[in-house]
Amino acid sequence: MTRLLVECTHVFKHPTVNSGIQRVVRNVIKQLPASAEGIECLPVVLINGQLYRVLQLAPLDTPLWNTLQTFGERLERLAHRFWQWHQRRDAQCTAKLARRGLYVGYRLTQFAVFGVPIRLIRLINRRQLLKRCSPLQHQPGDQLVLLDSSWHSDFFAHVEQLKRDGVGIIAVVYDLIPLTHPQFYDTRLVEVFSEWFDWITRTADGYMAISATVRDQVREELQRRIGAEQADKRWFDFFHLGSELDLHHSAATVEPRLKSLFAAPETVFLMVSTIEPRKNHAYLLDAFECAWAAGSTARLCIAGRIGWKCEALLERIHSHPELNRRLFMFNDLSDTSLEYAYAHASALVFPSFVEGFGLPLVEAMQRGLPAMASDIAVFREIGGDFMAYFNLQDPHNLAALIQVYQRTGQFPAARDVADWCWISWREASGQLATRSLHQVQQAPRVQARPHAHCS
């Protein structure tokens, strides 16, 4: 039986982070089937050059050990960046003597600055580590699925060794946005992601995207980088994401200020995302200011943690005359509070410039909350006729949708969200496993449905 080794290293090390990719990884691992159609599925991590099977994804309640582990991780990231620097310089060196000197200097620095303290911390942490996972021996024919955000990781050399030992490598790609829209990110992240993509271009046997839109983008990018002939030797597929909020607890307390917001009779439009330039909150404010100027009483609720490059936006929100009147912002909502917001809002608004999927859209619509979104390809793939779309070139376009919905009570989409049906995280995990197996076994190609809607 083929073994699918589903990697979750970053979430294993940082289990309290709960946004974007981390939410996806945690839910896929939690719902990963033990076996599916002739494949055994195992959650794994790659730590300190060793492959482990995950026994417990949640952390142990030991603050001292956790602090030491965090310090060790930071030191190892520095060591990995130093290794990357050495690789770039080594590639640029043409003189044999210079390359030898560079190598000796690298080895000495690596040993003196990083090697000794990292080994000491690893020995201390190993005892705690073995309470959450156990060593696993890889086998030829295993398939390693890089599900987590592996551009943060330092296991590239280890994965390359696994590949030489006959393990297949499958890269999960959430999006190519740092490559296609670098203006939305810090320079360092763009560099790290670009180096990672170069690496998976050389290393991966196949690519599993989170939407058909991203799958096609990945194929096109590989064709551009290595040519159509080489790209055709790889395989490309996708799976869709689920919709449950796994950290929601019915007994938990809902944020009181959020409850107060929804207690008022006015229509509330909800925006859920990290606050960062790509999510396009400025357009959202422009649209609602247009609607308010035209007499709308609609309220806008922005929910999401504070990200990057958003200082001007935050200043605009904090100084806005409608703040806490018709404009509200929450930066640290629990899943329980978010579930409450989805249940009581009138519609979700999502004006993102570019996405790999758009998780809040399916989270909202699966709960019966209709959604308005920017008119981009991946949202059409996910939403079909169930969503209302607006033009990002004109905030008045969204303002008009808001006013029509308020005035008529009819949501401006071709189909009713009541007829919507989306897959669960269990089904999403199943898609990842079975589609990966089919591709690895080179089963007859069947045209995938463009949506994951229930028929």
Side-chain angles (χ1 to χ4, degrees), residues 2 75 111 178 216 236 269 291 295 310 340 376 385 428 432 450:
T2 301
L75 196 61
F111 174 78
D216 296 343
F236 305 85
F269 289 80
C310 59
Y340 187 89
I376 59 178
D385 293 334
L432 172 63

Side-chain angles (χ1 to χ4, degrees), residues 138-365:
H138 64 277
Q139 303 168 3
D142 285 347
Q143 301 296 318
L144 178 65
V145 181
L146 299 176
L147 176 66
D148 214 334
S149 48
S150 52
W151 47 91
H152 294 300
S153 301
D154 59 355
F155 53 54
F156 291 6
H158 185 192
V159 171
E160 290 169 5
Q161 183 58 55
L162 293 178
K163 184 177 176 68
R164 288 192 291 270
D165 290 345
V167 175
I169 309 299
I170 301 171
V172 174
V173 183
Y174 291 87
D175 59 65
L176 297 181
I177 301 170
L179 303 180
T180 60
H181 297 75
Q183 68 272 23
F184 293 139
Y185 297 96
D186 293 329
T187 302
R188 179 57 191 160
L189 177 61
V190 173
E191 292 173 351
V192 168
F193 187 89
S194 181
E195 290 170 354
W196 171 80
F197 195 82
D198 282 341
W199 178 70
I200 66 165
T201 298
R202 301 189 307 270
T203 309
D205 303 295
Y207 304 83
M208 185 66 72
I210 59 170
S211 63
T213 302
V214 173
R215 175 202 59 192
D216 296 343
Q217 291 171 349
V218 172
R219 181 189 287 115
E220 290 169 5
E221 181 64 17
L222 256 74
Q223 289 174 343
R224 187 185 70 80
R225 288 178 179 234
I226 62 177
E229 182 179 353
Q230 287 299 315
D232 286 345
K233 295 178 181 178
R234 280 79 163 173
W235 57 260
F236 305 85
D237 208 334
F238 74 99
F239 72 108
H240 276 148
L241 308 182
S243 57
E244 305 97 313
L245 297 177
D246 67 307
L247 299 184
H248 164 56
H249 303 289
S250 57
T253 303
V254 175
E255 165 67 43
R257 196 163 63 93
L258 186 74
K259 266 194 170 182
S260 177
L261 163 62
F262 286 108
E266 288 82 9
T267 302
V268 178
F269 289 80
L270 177 66
M271 166 66 171
V272 178
S273 77
T274 301
I275 298 175
E276 42 118 339
R278 176 169 60 91
K279 303 299 184 176
N280 206 11
H281 289 81
Y283 171 96
L284 192 61
L285 288 177
D286 291 342
F288 272 83
E289 286 171 358
C290 291
W292 291 331
S296 172
T297 59
R299 293 179 163 198
L300 172 61
C301 175
I302 296 173
R305 68 178 180 85
I306 295 173
W308 51 93
K309 292 189 174 184
C310 59
E311 292 80 7
L313 174 69
L314 292 175
E315 175 60 29
R316 179 179 175 184
I317 292 173
H318 288 145
S319 62
H320 202 285
E322 292 296 337
L323 185 64
N324 297 322
R325 295 177 63 236
R326 287 186 288 189
L327 172 62
F328 300 82
M329 182 169 67
F330 300 86
N331 300 124
D332 193 24
L333 290 182
S334 66
D335 271 14
T336 299
S337 292
L338 183 56
E339 189 80 54
Y340 187 89
Y342 280 139
H344 291 83
S346 302
L348 184 81
V349 281
F350 207 70
S352 186
F353 282 111
V354 58
E355 291 285 341
F357 185 78
L359 197 52
L361 293 171
V362 297
E363 289 176 348
M365 295 178 69

Side-chain angles (χ1 to χ4, degrees), residues 109-127:
T109 304
Q110 188 78 354
F111 174 78
V113 178
F114 300 112
V116 173
I118 285 176
R119 284 186 177 88
L120 181 61
I121 292 172
R122 284 178 178 177
L123 285 173
I124 297 171
N125 282 335
R126 182 173 172 80
R127 184 174 179 181

Side-chain angles (χ1 to χ4, degrees), residues 13 17 34 39 55 61-62 100 129 164 197 202 205 224 259 307 314 329 346-347 358 415 432 439 449 451:
K13 291 180 176 180
V17 179
I39 190 167
L55 305 175
D61 188 18
T62 49
R100 182 63 181 171
L129 179 68
R164 288 192 291 270
F197 195 82
R202 301 189 307 270
D205 303 295
R224 187 185 70 80
K259 266 194 170 182
L314 292 175
M329 182 169 67
S346 302
R415 298 184 65 181
L432 172 63
Q439 291 289 355
R449 291 192 303 167
H451 308 300

